[in-house]
């Protein structure tokens, strides 16, 4: 007698079934009683192979975020099978499919052999409208992720401007870019100082989406920090675990741009303006220096104690400029402080500001629902003490404690309207895959803002 192993090419089935269910009895449509009983009871995401077909069974939960995590688990299982076509069966769940799609994102355009696998999800006709909406939002998130993931040598200020122009050409979004000359005339002292060592001019991007049926009388203005690369300037950052991922320092700008992209595609009935100050923070013989005193757009003087606290300098001018729109509400998003990350961890954004409390509660609730979690920090005026300067109006650096709050307090000097500041330094970028939020740029903020703005009921026309 002889025995040998024979090798066969890996069996790759073209089509995989994905069955979503809520109650065990729904499984009788697919499996016999014996098979159902053999299923482990403690796993919500099961792979079942009966040699004729491969199926992933997913038992849905009631909480949206749990279903998103299941969306990631199911995608990972199906992806490992290299399935190209997925047959979606059973019940529909928006959170699940949203996360399923978000999990498919890979930033591999700079690999010489990018993953070219195209996956199609075959869905029931009656899910079409909802899936189309999910797909639009996810594509905005993907654009935001791409912008964040592109390194400085692919996305400097000039490239960023081109990417924005390209994205919004032939859309209902109006765009305008201010160049250095215009910024000088408009006294953007903070933005110009940060840009001083650069061979590339700064820009101010102004985008407006104003549909005819907008319900708000005054615009909602979104401001995003657009530092395309942050070396720290003369207050140079250490390379490891710091400067090496500072391509992500325009994630605030990328998120508000992703939002306006989604708003336009979804035809949201809100008037929205986005303002993004864009520059790099480089080092050179023209650098602005610690000890310098700047005059900002609002005429306040700022003593620069640390050139690495550059985000607040460029945002301050943009927030001051936001006043000219007579806004109903201003929200800024910025990868602003390591302190926010130390306080809340890598997956939660810090929120603070002077807007009415109900808006903060609403934002926290939407954070829970979308999985883009936010936590409010205190904002007492006592924190301003740390920003006192002997020779200028304020300085750009607080003390050793409460750094996320003192950064927010710095910005508060430049606002005169209802305002929420969102520090996304933690959740904007991950260093290892974090379920459906992925690896690298997460697109954090896009889904949060879509839900907030969609449900915004303040400042109704004529009331
Ligand atoms: N871009 C950084 C903040 C940051 C840290 C973003 C970690 C993403 C992840 C910001 O410009 C910065 O350098 N902040 C300093 C401020 C300090 C000098 C007051 C910081 O947090 O160390
Ligand atoms: Mn910095
Ligand atoms: Mn920065």
């Amino acid at each position: 007698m002889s025995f040998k192993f024979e090798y066969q090419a890996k069996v790759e089935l073209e089509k995989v079934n994905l069955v979503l269910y809520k109650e065990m009895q729904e499984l009788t449509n697919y499996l016999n009683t014996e098979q159902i009983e053999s299923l482990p009871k403690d796993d919500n995401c099961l792979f079942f192979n009966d040699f004729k077909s491969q199926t992933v069974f997913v038992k849905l939960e009631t909480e949206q975020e749990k279903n998103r995590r299941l969306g990631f688990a199911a995608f990972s299982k199906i992806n490992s099978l290299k399935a190209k076509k997925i047959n979606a069966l059973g019940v529909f769940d928006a959170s699940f499919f949203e996360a399923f799609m978000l999990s498919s994102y890979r930033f591999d355009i700079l690999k010489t052999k990018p993953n070219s696998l195209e996956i199609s999800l075959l869905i029931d006709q009656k899910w079409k409208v909802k899936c189309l909406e999910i797909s639009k939002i996810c594509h905005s998130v993907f654009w935001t992720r791409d912008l964040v993931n592109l390194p400085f040598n692919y996305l400097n200020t000039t490239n960023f401007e081109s990417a924005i122009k390209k994205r919004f050409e032939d859309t209902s979004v109006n765009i305008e870019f201010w160049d250095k000359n215009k910024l000088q005339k408009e006294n953007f002292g903070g933005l110009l100082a940060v840009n001083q060592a650069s061979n590339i001019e700064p820009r101010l991007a102004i985008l407006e989406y104003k549909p005819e049926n907008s319900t708000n009388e005054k615009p909602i203005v979104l401001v995003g920090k657009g530092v395309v690369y942050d070396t720290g300037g003369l207050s140079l950052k250490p390379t490891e675990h710091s400067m090496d991922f500072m391509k992500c320092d325009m994630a605030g700008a990328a998120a508000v741009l992703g939002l306006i992209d989604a708003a336009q595609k979804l035809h949201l009935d809100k008037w929205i303006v986005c303002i993004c100050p864009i520059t790099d923070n480089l080092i050179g013989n023209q650098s602005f220096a610690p000890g310098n005193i700047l005059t900002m757009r609002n005429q306040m003087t700022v003593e620069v104690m640390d050139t690495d606290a550059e985000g607040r300098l460029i945002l301050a001018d943009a927030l001051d400029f936001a006043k000219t729109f007579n806004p109903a509400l201003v929200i800024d998003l910025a990868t602003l402080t390591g302190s926010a990350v130390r306080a809340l961890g890598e997956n939660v954004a810090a929120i603070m500001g002077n807007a009415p409390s109900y808006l903060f509660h609403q934002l926290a609730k939407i954070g829970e629902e979308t999985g883009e979690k936010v936590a409010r920090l205190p904002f007492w005026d006592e924190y301003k003490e740390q920003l006192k300067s002997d020779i200028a109006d304020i300085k750009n650096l607080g003390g050793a404690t409460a750094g996320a709050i003192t950064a927010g307090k710095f910005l508060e000097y430049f606002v005169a309207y209802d305002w929420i500041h969102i520090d996304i330094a933690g959740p904007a970028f991950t260093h290892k895959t974090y379920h459906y939020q992925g690896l690298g740029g997460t697109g954090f903020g896009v889904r949060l803002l879509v839900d907030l703005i969609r449900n915004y009921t303040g400042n109704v026309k004529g009331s």
Side-chain angles (χ1 to χ4, degrees):
M1 196 167 75
S2 76
F3 177 88
K4 68 173 185 185
F5 287 108
E6 262 191 326
Y7 303 109
Q8 62 170 6
K10 202 173 158 219
V11 183
E12 283 172 10
L13 292 182
E14 280 277 290
K15 205 186 277 180
V16 172
N17 298 314
L18 171 65
V19 175
L20 269 59
Y21 68 101
K22 287 181 177 158
E23 305 293 340
M24 272 315 216
Q25 74 229 30
E26 293 163 44
L27 291 180
T28 52
N29 297 328
Y30 316 96
L31 300 170
N32 63 36
T33 333
E34 202 183 319
Q35 288 170 320
I36 293 175
E37 268 162 22
S38 73
L39 293 176
K41 302 276 175 290
D42 54 351
D43 193 349
N44 275 41
C45 182
L46 295 165
F47 175 58
F48 196 88
N49 189 350
D50 73 354
F51 300 105
K52 288 194 293 287
S53 70
Q54 306 188 78
T55 307
V56 171
F57 289 102
V58 178
K59 185 171 191 303
L60 292 168
E61 302 262 1
T62 46
E63 210 183 293
Q64 292 183 51
E65 182 59 5
K66 284 194 178 148
N67 289 336
R68 280 198 202 90
R69 307 277 169 119
L70 285 169
F72 172 70
F75 182 84
S76 307
K77 273 201 176 135
I78 290 175
N79 194 40
S80 65
L81 303 169
K82 299 217 163 49
K84 289 196 184 80
K85 285 202 162 63
I86 304 157
N87 219 359
L89 302 162
V91 295
F92 177 76
D93 184 82
S95 303
F96 177 90
F97 285 112
E98 177 182 59
F100 195 83
M101 187 164 175
L102 288 174
S103 305
S104 71
Y105 177 85
R106 300 286 181 274
F107 181 70
D108 56 9
I109 50 178
L110 298 180
K111 283 186 184 277
T112 46
K113 292 189 186 77
N115 176 359
S116 56
L117 190 66
E118 274 183 31
I119 305 169
S120 10
L121 190 67
L122 310 170
I123 55 161
D124 194 312
Q125 188 69 24
K126 62 178 185 282
W127 300 354
K128 199 175 147 189
V129 173
K130 198 69 198 153
C131 284
L132 205 62
E133 187 187 313
I134 292 172
S135 161
K136 285 177 184 168
I137 297 174
C138 289
H139 279 113
S140 298
V141 174
F142 293 165
W143 183 51
T144 298
R145 288 181 180 178
D146 281 344
L147 291 171
V148 174
N149 286 329
L150 282 166
F152 183 40
N153 61 330
Y154 283 84
L155 195 101
N156 61 23
T157 302
T158 313
N159 310 135
F160 200 5
E161 177 179 346
S162 313
I164 297 167
K165 282 182 173 157
K166 186 162 169 231
R167 186 76 176 188
F168 294 105
E169 73 187 10
D170 306 323
T171 72
S172 55
V173 175
N174 277 320
I175 58 175
E176 194 182 332
F177 283 88
W178 284 9
D179 62 12
K180 188 171 178 175
N181 200 356
K182 174 81 174 161
L183 293 167
Q184 276 164 341
K185 284 192 189 120
E186 291 275 338
N187 304 314
F188 277 63
L191 178 54
L192 291 163
V194 172
N195 179 256
Q196 227 165 265
S198 184
N199 54 332
I200 301 171
E201 284 191 10
R203 286 286 184 267
L204 187 77
I206 307 161
L207 293 87
E208 184 178 44
Y209 167 71
K210 190 179 182 184
E212 268 174 21
N213 63 341
S214 57
T215 62
N216 49 330
E217 205 154 29
K218 302 190 274 180
I220 300 169
V221 176
L222 303 165
V223 177
K225 170 176 172 182
V227 173
V228 286
Y229 193 68
D230 184 9
T231 67
L234 288 177
S235 314
L236 194 64
K237 283 181 185 298
T239 304
E240 212 185 343
H241 310 308
S242 184
M243 207 195 299
D244 53 11
F245 67 100
M246 276 306 135
K247 66 175 183 179
C248 79
D249 216 14
M250 33 56 75
V256 304
L257 292 165
L259 174 278
I260 205 163
D261 182 61
Q264 173 255 130
K265 288 186 295 184
L266 298 169
H267 305 292
L268 293 192
D269 59 356
K270 299 290 182 293
W271 179 14
I272 303 166
V273 171
C274 287
I275 303 171
C276 301
I278 303 172
T279 181
D280 42 43
N281 184 20
L282 296 187
I283 189 166
N285 56 6
Q286 296 297 315
S287 289
F288 77 126
N292 282 10
I293 296 180
L294 312 176
T295 302
M296 310 294 282
R297 184 178 185 277
N298 75 345
Q299 295 302 309
M300 279 181 76
T301 55
V302 173
E303 186 182 6
V304 176
M305 303 307 290
D306 194 317
T307 60
D308 198 12
E310 85 298 340
R312 62 196 74 181
L313 296 173
I314 71 167
L315 287 170
D317 286 337
L319 288 168
D320 181 54
F321 171 63
K323 289 172 190 163
T324 61
F325 290 89
N326 185 26
L329 172 70
V330 176
I331 305 173
D332 79 78
L333 273 85
T335 46
L336 204 62
T337 65
S339 163
V341 194
R342 286 190 292 278
L344 301 173
E346 289 190 335
N347 309 119
V348 180
I351 56 173
M352 62 204 92
N354 64 8
S357 264
Y358 83 88
L359 280 175
F360 282 95
H361 293 304
Q362 197 182 352
L363 192 59
K365 185 166 165 276
I366 292 171
E368 294 284 348
E369 286 164 2
T370 56
E372 298 197 327
K373 296 192 187 66
V374 299
R376 189 177 184 180
L377 296 184
F379 212 51
W380 290 294
D381 272 345
E382 281 83 341
Y383 291 105
K384 280 184 175 168
E385 292 292 316
Q386 295 190 28
L387 298 170
K388 278 192 172 152
S389 162
D390 293 329
I391 54 170
D393 296 335
I394 48 171
K395 50 186 191 179
N396 80 332
L397 185 66
T401 59
I405 303 173
T406 52
K409 280 310 220 188
F410 179 91
L411 298 178
E412 198 187 23
Y413 281 100
F414 303 87
V415 309
Y417 36 66
D418 288 352
W419 161 68
I420 298 176
H421 162 55
I422 311 184
D423 191 333
I424 58 168
F429 194 86
T430 61
H431 300 273
K432 57 175 198 285
T433 301
Y434 184 55
H435 53 79
Y436 64 87
Q437 295 194 12
L439 176 71
T442 60
F444 185 100
V446 176
R447 291 184 304 111
L448 182 78
L449 290 176
V450 166
D451 276 17
L452 184 81
I453 290 178
R454 200 175 2 206
N455 298 310
Y456 179 75
T457 52
N459 184 235
V460 180
K461 271 183 190 161
S463 65

